[in-house]
Amino acid sequence: MIEEKKTSKTRLDFQTKWEYSPAPESTDHIQLKDQYNLFINGKFVEPEEGRYFDSINPASEDKLASVAMATEADVNKAVKAARDAYNKIWSKITAKDRGKYIFRIARLIQERAREFAVIESLDGGKPIRESRDVDIPLVAAHFFYYAGWADKLKYAFPGRDPKPLGVAGQIIPWNFPLLMAAWKIAPALATGNTVVIKPAETTPLTALKLAEIIQEADLPPGVVNIITGAGKTGEALVKHADVNKIAFTGSTEVGKIIQKTLAGTDKKYSLELGGKGANIIFEDAAIDQAVEGIINAIFFNQGHVCCAGSRLFVQESVAEEVIAKLKDRMGTLIVGDPLDKNTDIGAINSKAQLDKINELIESGINEGGEIFQSGCDLPAHGYWCRPTLFQEVSQSHRIVQEEIFGPVLTIQTFRTPDEAITKANNTPYGLSGGIWTDKGSKIFNTGSKIRAGVMWSNTFNKFDATSPFGGYKESGMGREGGLHGLLPYLELK
Ligand code: NDP
């Protein structure tokens, strides 16, 4: 498989010489209804106005199910159910019993992991390898982890008296649908709060399957309510007078709207917003590993990742080598059917998101960036974007400043660590970053000067239930995960 090119360098040619037989994951074992209602007070109930919207498969544009559109009246109903459940049941039972329910949810998710993984890939477009090996195991891990905290809160905050807030309103995005639901629901329940959660419009199905598990776990009615709908549904939840806490993950734009709405109220809130992560490769890094790290940092989940390493900074002395290897590696990535186990990059989550990505790619070209895209085949139907990189870009380019949320990488070079730090920090965001080097001291010196909530060294996009996650600047406020993730749901007396 090695081909001699004119440059006399040996290069891998996967495009023409490697063929993979299809390896599709079966869909026989999943159960999807044609229509889903709202999950309020332990039951599936019809929406007050009787309106439904379609959830489609972005890889085929086929309809998967119709889903209830919750309006203000439904939000009121869900919040009332959550309040009643809080007052009458959830705040009264022992912390140990709360923990038992959460453990039960975790175990049921593990039992049905395969079904969840397939539905996540169908509804959201992500490769089955990722939903199977990353999303769903992390979902179970979050429930297990926070189940363990339920009866140990006083050890988490010694000398303090932690009290739940009451009803938590939670709004989640479409990039990690079930995982974001777990990040929100697990700590809220463990700390003694009840929940009203709104999944994103394009990916509601795994949250609705979670509602089935919640029923099966016999969680008292009203402790978790799941209301599907659009931005207006989220807005009604944020504005509801009887909600004590808002937890939001999504765009910085909507995060700012929520922050304005909540200013002057006594609601507690946490915001996990956008990012423009810097991935810094020093000349002493293990280059082949770093190239794999770059691929993972930007192409994982089609780049629909708030902490994606979407800005690459390479030390000038190794830039040529790194970029050549990166382009070769991009040529090997398989874009296509999310349910095929060979697939590296699945479908873009929606037509709207594909349009946004294409508009930003266009702006990169118009502003003078040098584009490189892999030459892979794309399926005839569905929403797809080839793995893309841009060279010859500067700090002022839109594609260097704005969150693209797609498989698009910008590359810039640097000479000194200080230059890399200055460039890495030159963005309104502060969520994540990565450093690749052989020297531990360089990791600490550089990492400590980059204003980002999460810094990875010699790896990227590693998540763990025990580890806090969150941003600075326009990437939001508050932390999710780990012991820190308990705090946004508690009042410490
Ligand atoms: P949004 O921020 O609009 O969506 C996130 C969630 O908020 C969804 O559930 C959405 O509902 C809901 N929502 C929308 N408007 C409001 C509102 N006024 N009040 C309360 N809730 C609201 O993200 P988009 O889906 O529109 O994506 C736009 C861009 O945001 C992406 O291109 C990407 O750059 C960024 N993004 C960042 C994410 C992150 O994790 N940092 C996650 C998702 C997006 P609905 O889905 O029904 O519109």
Side-chain angles (χ1 to χ4, degrees), residues 16 21 24 33 44 58 71 99 125 129 132 162 200 223 241 255 257 299 312 330 341 366 421 448 459 481:
T16 53
S21 300
K33 293 182 202 148
F44 284 95
T71 53
R129 272 202 337 247
R132 183 194 63 192
V223 172
I257 296 172
F299 300 126
L312 178 65
M330 282 166 68
K341 290 164 206 146
N366 292 339
I421 292 163
S448 60
T459 187

Side-chain angles (χ1 to χ4, degrees), residues 202-225:
T202 58
T203 53
L205 296 183
T206 44
L208 292 162
K209 295 299 285 184
L210 180 64
E212 292 175 4
I213 279 192
I214 285 167
Q215 279 182 326
E216 210 179 319
D218 225 3
L219 197 72
V223 172
V224 173
N225 304 275

Side-chain angles (χ1 to χ4, degrees), residues 26-230:
S26 149
T27 53
D28 298 352
H29 56 94
I30 66 160
Q31 287 179 6
L32 274 180
K33 293 182 202 148
D34 292 337
Q35 182 167 296
Y36 281 93
N37 284 319
L38 305 169
F39 185 66
I40 298 177
N41 210 18
K43 293 193 198 78
F44 284 95
V45 296
E46 288 179 11
E48 288 288 320
E49 290 187 11
R51 286 195 288 137
Y52 292 82
F53 61 94
D54 293 345
S55 193
I56 65 149
N57 177 349
S60 64
E61 301 174 54
D62 293 335
K63 176 179 164 181
L64 292 166
S66 68
V67 177
M69 175 70 81
T71 53
E72 204 178 320
D74 301 301
V75 172
N76 292 343
K77 234 158 91 175
V79 173
K80 183 171 180 321
R83 175 62 61 195
D84 287 349
Y86 177 74
N87 288 340
K88 294 179 192 153
I89 310 169
W90 206 237
S91 61
K92 301 268 194 307
I93 67 170
T94 64
K96 202 167 147 193
D97 283 341
R98 278 205 317 265
K100 281 187 197 166
Y101 282 112
I102 308 170
F103 273 124
R104 208 181 278 171
I105 294 171
R107 283 194 297 267
L108 288 167
I109 287 166
Q110 277 188 324
E111 277 170 23
R112 286 168 63 177
R114 197 165 153 225
E115 184 183 12
F116 271 106
V118 170
I119 297 174
E120 200 71 305
S121 285
L122 281 173
D123 202 24
K126 64 175 67 197
I128 186 72
R129 272 202 337 247
E130 292 177 8
S131 45
R132 183 194 63 192
D133 300 344
V134 183
D135 291 60
I136 309 304
L138 277 173
V139 168
H142 264 80
F143 280 105
F144 276 121
Y145 175 74
Y146 281 108
W149 272 121
D151 61 352
K152 300 175 194 67
L153 296 178
K154 63 175 192 248
Y155 301 107
F157 306 101
R160 310 294 296 273
D161 181 16
K163 295 277 180 230
L165 302 172
V167 176
Q170 308 181 321
I171 298 161
I172 53 172
W174 41 260
N175 51 344
F176 293 91
L178 191 65
L179 184 58
M180 289 303 104
W183 279 28
K184 300 275 182 286
I185 296 173
L189 297 189
T191 46
N193 299 275
T194 56
V195 164
V196 178
I197 187 165
K198 189 200 98 64
E201 200 176 342
T202 58
T203 53
L205 296 183
T206 44
L208 292 162
K209 295 299 285 184
L210 180 64
E212 292 175 4
I213 279 192
I214 285 167
Q215 279 182 326
E216 210 179 319
D218 225 3
L219 197 72
V223 172
V224 173
N225 304 275
I226 300 174
I227 49 166
T228 44

Side-chain angles (χ1 to χ4, degrees), residues 286-308:
I287 296 298
D288 289 332
Q289 285 173 30
V291 169
E292 275 315 298
I294 298 165
I295 294 281
N296 174 39
I298 183 61
F299 300 126
F300 173 58
N301 199 29
Q302 298 75 246
H304 300 330
V305 184
C306 49
C307 54

